[in-house]
């Protein structure tokens, strides 16, 4: 039976809108702010744990938004978990499946907030709850929007000179495929093979377009192909994977352990983009990684453009999970124009480093949170 001090007495939610340092272009939308749902779980012992409900660019990606997540948590999930212990994460995450179907981004916020509160109550970090950290930092790939060649070259050069990132992802799918392909090949060529580039089409090409342009991109020096075709078309993704020498990474296609199993069974990808948000939190993410490891697939620590709370959770996960063995792109807070933490996350030498201290190891600057809170 849980310690009464670990009992949840309240679950509070706040939407904040954080400006970005530049517009971030996805395949179908452009964001100049990132909405985040902050979730605070408070225990009877007075400990507060935080989680984030956040999606990349809005509901176009996963069908959820900060508004839908707030309603689901305020009306359904929050009241249900009040009275449960923050050390009952496995049981709570199983039980809430009977309350709300899917809604994995909202559930991830609950999962992370409970991990943070439990670890803080014990005076340990979240990585310790996940098995213990075996490394203190992970490589970070920087994502570049669908911007013109000159802008991209300048941004890559600056970030390398500042030793912030040494590998980069180029967003595709927003432009005409011929123009987009020529743009990317030009960017890769501008660095003469000295910089690693991947591409992400966000599932926006059909089979014909992908089979025409993906081989050109690989021949042009792109080292990783992320989700060129729609999520449900695993046979098409497998066909592309067989035709090109560069590894293919599945993102939209993998949100559950069963999805990972299907991708592995069909040979649809070599790498899985593991987002702790889209999987429904840290517990479910471990299940996805376990399937991938058993199938011989690698996992990349991907991002939903989380703020520092969600990013810190993914850092703890990546630093405690050997199955995250294909780097990360946990750059979310670097894209923000304002700092939400009292002490920023440490990005240096191409890595982001594991925060020190109990729980997630980070403390929100509540003055900044209040400034950008909606309504």
């Amino acid at each position: 039976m849980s310690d009464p001090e670990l009992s949840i007495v309240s679950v509070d939610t706040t939407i904040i809108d954080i400006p970005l340092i530049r517009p971030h272009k996805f395949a179908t939308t452009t964001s100049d702010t990132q909405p985040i749902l902050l979730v605070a779980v408070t225990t009877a012992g007075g400990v507060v744990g935080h989680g984030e409900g956040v999606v990349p660019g809005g509901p176009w990606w996963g069908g959820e938004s900060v508004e839908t997540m707030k309603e689901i948590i305020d009306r359904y999930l929050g009241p249900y978990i009040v009275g449960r212990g923050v050390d009952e994460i496995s049981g709570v995450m199983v039980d809430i499946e009977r309350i709300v179907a899917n809604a994995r981004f909202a559930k991830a916020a609950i999962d992370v907030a409970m991990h943070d509160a439990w670890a803080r109550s014990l005076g340990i970090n979240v990585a310790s709850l996940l098995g213990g950290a075996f490394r203190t930092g992970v490589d970070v790939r920087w994502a570049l929007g669908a911007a013109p060649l000159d802008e991209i070259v300048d941004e890559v050069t600056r970030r390398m000179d500042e030793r912030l990132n040494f590998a980069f992802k180029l967003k595709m799918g927003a432009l005409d495929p011929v123009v987009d392909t020529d743009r990317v090949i030009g960017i890769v060529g501008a660095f003469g093979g000295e910089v690693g580039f991947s591409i992400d089409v966000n599932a926006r090409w059909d089979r014909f377009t992908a089979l025409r342009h993906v081989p050109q991109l690989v021949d042009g020096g792109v080292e990783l192909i992320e989700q060129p075709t729609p999520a449900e078309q695993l046979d098409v993704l497998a066909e592309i994977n067989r035709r090109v020498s560069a590894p293919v990474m599945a993102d939209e296609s993998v949100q559950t352990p069963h999805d990972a199993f299907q991708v592995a069974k069909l040979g649809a990808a070599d790498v899985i983009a593991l987002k702790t948000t889209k999987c429904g939190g840290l517990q479910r993410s471990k299940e996805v990684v376990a399937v991938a490891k058993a199938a011989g697939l690698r996992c990349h620590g991907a991002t939903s453009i989380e703020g520092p709370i969600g990013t810190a959770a993914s850092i703890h996960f990546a630093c405690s999970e050997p199955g995250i063995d294909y780097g990360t792109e946990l750059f979310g807070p670097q894209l923000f124009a304002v700092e939400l933490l009292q002490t920023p996350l440490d990005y240096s030498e191409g890595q982001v480093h594991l925060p020190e201290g109990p729980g997630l190891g980070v403390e929100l600057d509540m003055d900044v949170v209040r400034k950008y809170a909606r309504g």
Side-chain angles (χ1 to χ4, degrees):
M1 187 172 182
S2 290
D3 182 339
E5 293 286 287
L6 299 180
S7 178
I8 297 170
V9 296
S10 68
V11 179
D12 301 296
T13 59
T14 305
I15 295 176
I16 58 175
D17 295 293
I18 305 302
L20 304 182
I21 59 173
R22 58 156 168 78
H24 191 69
K25 297 180 181 179
F26 298 92
T28 64
T29 187
T30 299
S31 298
D32 53 19
T33 63
Q34 175 64 320
I36 295 172
L37 179 69
L38 286 176
V39 177
V41 167
T42 303
T43 71
V47 173
V48 180
H50 285 99
E52 281 184 1
V54 58
V55 290
W60 71 276
W61 198 96
E64 294 180 63
S65 68
V66 290
E67 296 84 5
T68 65
M69 286 184 272
K70 181 173 173 56
E71 183 70 9
I72 285 171
I73 292 173
D74 287 351
R75 180 171 294 195
Y76 300 102
L77 301 183
Y80 182 77
I81 70 171
V82 167
R84 302 290 292 270
V86 290
D87 58 342
E88 298 177 50
I89 296 172
S90 294
V92 165
M93 299 312 292
V94 168
D95 290 345
I96 63 177
E97 289 298 314
R98 296 193 292 268
I99 306 299
V100 177
N102 300 319
R104 297 184 189 94
F105 290 86
K107 291 171 182 174
I110 295 290
D111 170 284
V112 168
M114 290 182 68
H115 275 90
D116 188 29
W118 187 18
R120 287 176 184 273
S121 298
L122 297 173
I124 62 175
N125 66 14
V126 167
S128 296
L129 292 182
L130 300 174
F134 72 99
R135 54 188 166 193
T136 59
V138 285
D139 293 342
V140 178
R141 184 180 292 264
W142 177 251
L144 301 143
L149 186 149
D150 289 347
E151 290 182 25
I152 296 293
V153 169
D154 288 345
E155 188 170 348
V156 169
T157 301
R158 177 178 59 80
R159 297 194 72 84
M160 291 189 65
D161 288 345
E162 294 175 2
R163 302 191 65 78
L164 292 172
N165 308 95
F166 303 121
F168 300 86
K169 177 166 83 171
L170 297 163
K171 288 287 188 179
M172 299 184 71
L175 306 176
D176 175 88
V178 174
V179 173
D180 219 4
T181 299
D182 288 344
R183 177 185 70 93
V184 168
I185 291 174
I187 291 168
V188 175
F191 291 92
E194 298 298 316
V195 179
F197 287 98
S198 66
I199 61 102
D200 180 8
V201 190
N202 283 131
R204 287 306 184 254
W205 283 352
D206 58 24
R207 174 182 176 275
F208 181 86
T209 303
L211 289 176
R212 177 182 178 187
H213 294 294
V214 168
Q216 293 176 331
L217 290 161
V218 174
D219 290 344
V222 172
E223 64 181 13
L224 176 69
I225 306 296
E226 181 176 350
Q227 198 72 51
T229 49
E232 70 277 6
Q233 296 180 11
L234 294 184
D235 289 336
V236 174
L237 198 62
E239 183 179 5
I240 295 165
N241 197 26
R242 289 192 296 269
R243 291 200 183 194
V244 297
S245 57
V248 169
M249 182 160 72
D251 182 8
E252 285 87 341
S253 291
V254 179
Q255 300 187 42
T256 69
H258 180 72
D259 292 342
F261 174 73
Q262 290 295 108
V263 164
K265 184 169 69 172
L266 294 174
D270 307 293
V271 185
I272 287 174
L274 192 290
K275 294 174 180 171
T276 58
T277 48
K278 72 174 180 179
C279 293
L282 306 179
Q283 292 287 321
R284 294 286 278 178
S285 293
K286 289 181 76 71
E287 296 175 18
V288 173
V289 173
V291 173
K293 287 165 66 175
L297 303 182
R298 292 197 160 190
C299 288
H300 174 71
T303 183
S304 295
I305 320 296
E306 296 103 316
I309 296 296
T311 299
S314 292
I315 296 168
H316 281 269
F317 184 83
C319 285
S320 62
E321 176 50 73
I324 302 296
D325 55 2
Y326 203 82
T328 80
E329 55 184 46
L330 300 177
F331 60 81
Q334 291 185 295
L335 199 58
F336 292 4
V338 296
E339 179 55 60
L340 284 165
L341 297 180
Q342 295 178 24
T343 301
L345 292 171
D346 179 8
Y347 288 93
S348 58
E349 297 301 316
Q351 290 197 327
V352 63
H353 303 278
L354 183 67
E356 298 181 357
L360 293 173
V362 296
E363 303 295 338
L364 286 166
D365 185 329
M366 296 309 296
D367 289 336
V368 177
V369 170
R370 283 187 285 270
K371 179 179 179 180
Y372 290 96
R374 188 181 297 184

